[in-house]
Amino acid sequence: MAPTVVRDGQFRGFFFCREESRMHVHVSHLDGVVKFWFTPAVELATSTALSDRQLRDARAVVESHIEEIRNAWNRHFGA
């Protein structure tokens, strides 16, 4: 199960259930997927097939929705 927590332009932020306990979000685009950790700060974890510009745009989406994503994480995983 991968609940969507945010949509912004061509990006969709989501979680994978039972993946790892460190707070993070996956962000998909038609061209690929990126994963960002949240602690201690927004940090690139992995990226597949996104250009440098798409990575910057995906990071901007995460940063602009950070509280919404954190709140969704806490609701979903019961933290």
Side-chain angles (χ1 to χ4, degrees):
M1 184 168 146
T4 297
V5 295
V6 67
R7 288 188 186 274
D8 190 324
Q10 297 181 354
F11 296 96
R12 177 180 80 96
F14 61 95
F15 306 133
F16 282 122
C17 295
R18 299 184 190 105
E19 182 187 19
E20 64 178 277
S21 61
R22 184 175 178 183
M23 189 179 284
H24 66 279
V25 68
H26 297 265
V27 180
S28 67
H29 182 277
L30 289 174
D31 295 335
V33 178
V34 63
K35 176 180 173 181
F36 292 100
W37 284 310
F38 281 17
T39 55
V42 175
E43 179 184 340
L44 178 66
T46 61
S47 175
T48 306
L50 292 182
S51 70
D52 288 344
R53 178 175 181 175
Q54 289 167 324
L55 283 172
R56 285 191 304 272
D57 291 347
R59 181 186 203 97
V61 166
V62 170
E63 290 175 347
S64 69
H65 294 279
I66 192 93
E67 287 307 314
E68 180 182 351
I69 297 168
R70 282 188 174 138
N71 290 338
W73 176 280
N74 291 332
R75 280 191 312 274
H76 187 76
F77 293 105

